[in-house]
Amino acid sequence: MLGIPTVMDRMIQQALLQVLTPIFDPTFSEDSYGFRAGRSAHQAVLRAREHIAAGHRWVVDTDLEKFFDRVNHDVLMARVARRVKDKRVLRVIGCYLRAGIMEDGVTSPRREGTPQGGPLSPLLSNILLDDLDKELERRGHRFVRYADDFQIYVKSKRAGERVLTSVEGFLEKRLRLKVNREKSAVGRPWKRKFLGYRTTTDKEPKLKPAPESVKRLKLKLKDLFRRGRGWSLARTIRELNPILRGWAAYYRLADVSGVFEELDQWVRRRLRLILWRQWKRPQTRRRELRKRGLDEDRAAESAYNGRGPWWNAGASHMNQAVPTRLLSQMGLLSLLHEQRRLARIS
């Protein structure tokens, strides 16, 4: 759950953040990328690819179970107190950690966890997990961490299993954090996602969007298309473009274009599906197909073919009636072209 502080509390937390960040951030690991100025998820993904290209082609993918909800306050405050000696500051931070959440007018006490939604929480999570970073560095492991999402890169499956068991013990004993064994595994990087990306099996690995990321995008767009059944095609495209632009921007690091081409085809088919459904009756469909350049016989045959809407949306008569060129003229963004454009300028 998100714990959104009041305006006054946000201001105080932001003030604390601006004072504490210069104290803690310079001591953080070079392989920590989350919630840090000048660092990004893209840098973390590129660093991960470096490790794989260097021959560490097994990954220890570790999932922390409900990390932000399970942070032990005593363990966290002990780490903050290593550098912060002012007891008044420590007391204020402790108060924010213990502040309950008000839901429907009822306040629930908080005995563990850092409330997501406050300016201070990201820094506190990095302070706690810095112990993990330092332990991995001490052991000489190659790793990348972005917030509570981290992977360790090794050269064999057996080494990976040893590391997973060892790290699980360290997290539970030293930081009181629990590893989700169902989601954690030792595997090949091209079968495990990291920050939405996967790599190819090449010796010089290429980046591509993970299948799970593609699936999430499709689910999000399906919801938009359902809402857009009563909209004009132009309005649907206007609503669609910001989502496509954001997705292309995040996945601009991808070297594999096939995913973007397939998504472009799928989006165009979905738009044609909206039109086919809006036309409803066979006689309307015949008239609309004729209007869009099909001859009388083909328009009639297509309109009365008895097939389902999804089949018709991908059929040649709809591709001819609503060509890619027309959708582009209406402003539809191409994921492939946008991703390539952003890749060139980044």
Side-chain angles (χ1 to χ4, degrees), residues 125-149:
S125 68
N126 272 334
I127 291 171
L128 181 64
L129 289 175
D130 188 56
D131 271 26
L132 171 65
D133 298 341
K134 295 296 191 291
E135 179 66 15
L136 294 176
E137 288 176 348
R138 188 185 67 78
R139 298 180 185 184
H141 290 313
R142 289 175 178 248
F143 72 97
V144 180
R145 183 175 68 80
Y146 188 92
D148 61 325
D149 198 348

Side-chain angles (χ1 to χ4, degrees), residues 206-230:
K206 296 181 175 64
L207 294 170
K208 63 179 182 179
E212 300 91 332
S213 304
V214 175
K215 186 178 179 180
R216 275 199 304 273
L217 175 66
K218 284 186 173 182
L219 286 172
K220 185 174 185 177
L221 294 182
K222 279 180 181 177
D223 182 58
L224 185 147
F225 289 132
R226 273 193 296 272
R227 288 185 285 114
R229 288 177 184 176

Side-chain angles (χ1 to χ4, degrees), residues 69-327:
D69 296 330
R70 294 282 177 85
V71 169
N72 183 284
H73 291 172
D74 293 336
V75 172
L76 172 57
M77 289 306 298
R79 275 132 188 90
V80 175
R82 289 173 183 172
R83 288 194 171 84
V84 177
K85 302 304 178 185
D86 192 321
K87 291 184 180 179
R88 295 169 301 174
V89 174
L90 294 175
R91 188 163 58 250
V92 170
I93 296 172
C95 286
Y96 283 128
L97 288 175
R98 293 187 297 274
I101 292 177
M102 181 175 284
E103 186 179 10
D104 298 327
V106 179
T107 303
S108 305
R110 179 182 287 275
R111 295 182 178 85
E112 62 179 358
T114 59
Q116 295 183 73
L120 200 54
S121 291
L123 176 64
L124 294 177
S125 68
N126 272 334
I127 291 171
L128 181 64
L129 289 175
D130 188 56
D131 271 26
L132 171 65
D133 298 341
K134 295 296 191 291
E135 179 66 15
L136 294 176
E137 288 176 348
R138 188 185 67 78
R139 298 180 185 184
H141 290 313
R142 289 175 178 248
F143 72 97
V144 180
R145 183 175 68 80
Y146 188 92
D148 61 325
D149 198 348
F150 70 97
Q151 291 189 338
I152 306 165
Y153 301 88
V154 294
K155 290 190 173 182
S156 69
K157 185 176 182 180
R158 183 177 294 179
E161 288 169 347
R162 284 199 307 269
V163 169
L164 178 57
T165 302
S166 175
V167 167
E168 182 180 14
F170 174 85
L171 287 167
E172 290 186 359
K173 184 178 179 181
R174 292 280 297 276
L175 302 182
R176 309 278 181 86
L177 295 172
K178 188 173 175 59
V179 172
N180 187 334
R181 270 291 187 169
E182 290 182 7
K183 294 183 179 180
S184 302
V186 177
R188 295 292 196 177
W190 46 88
K191 292 184 178 179
R192 308 291 301 183
K193 69 179 176 69
F194 181 60
L195 300 178
Y197 281 88
R198 276 194 190 179
T199 64
T200 62
T201 59
D202 302 301
K203 189 173 181 181
E204 289 295 327
K206 296 181 175 64
L207 294 170
K208 63 179 182 179
E212 300 91 332
S213 304
V214 175
K215 186 178 179 180
R216 275 199 304 273
L217 175 66
K218 284 186 173 182
L219 286 172
K220 185 174 185 177
L221 294 182
K222 279 180 181 177
D223 182 58
L224 185 147
F225 289 132
R226 273 193 296 272
R227 288 185 285 114
R229 288 177 184 176
W231 299 344
S232 68
L233 210 57
R235 181 183 171 184
T236 303
I237 289 171
R238 284 199 305 272
E239 297 282 340
L240 186 62
N241 278 345
I243 300 172
L244 298 180
R245 187 174 288 110
W247 205 82
Y250 183 74
Y251 289 101
R252 66 180 181 269
L253 298 180
D255 307 299
V256 179
S257 61
V259 173
F260 297 93
E261 291 175 359
E262 290 170 11
L263 279 170
D264 276 340
Q265 292 170 8
W266 181 85
V267 167
R268 291 194 293 266
R269 188 170 180 178
R270 281 278 166 183
L271 291 172
R272 293 177 183 122
L273 174 65
I274 288 174
L275 275 182
W276 186 262
R277 281 178 164 154
Q278 285 178 347
W279 294 341
K280 291 184 181 177
R281 296 184 299 172
Q283 51 266 49
T284 306
R285 289 168 177 166
R286 180 186 61 79
R287 186 174 67 249
E288 293 293 339
L289 290 172
R290 284 284 294 120
K291 244 196 264 185
R292 286 164 169 76
L294 274 69
D295 62 56
E296 179 60 41
D297 290 341
R298 184 147 184 250
E301 182 185 352
S302 301
Y304 290 90
N305 62 31
R307 300 270 194 162
W310 182 245
W311 184 91
N312 277 286
S316 59
H317 54 267
M318 280 301 283
N319 279 273
Q320 182 181 339
V322 190
T324 302
R325 171 181 44 80
L326 175 63
L327 294 173

Side-chain angles (χ1 to χ4, degrees), residues 9-68:
D9 285 339
R10 287 185 71 85
M11 187 187 75
I12 295 169
Q13 285 194 32
Q14 184 63 35
L16 284 169
L17 178 70
Q18 290 176 202
V19 173
L20 295 176
T21 296
I23 296 171
F24 286 97
D25 194 83
T27 66
F28 289 156
S29 169
E30 284 298 310
D31 288 300
S32 166
Y33 292 89
F35 310 128
R36 297 181 64 190
R39 289 171 171 257
S40 68
H42 284 167
Q43 291 174 332
V45 170
L46 293 174
R47 181 65 170 157
R49 184 174 66 176
E50 284 178 24
H51 293 322
I52 299 164
H56 295 73
R57 294 166 71 84
W58 286 90
V59 60
V60 182
D61 191 1
T62 311
D63 181 82
L64 296 177
E65 191 172 288
K66 297 181 180 177
F67 169 71
F68 285 96

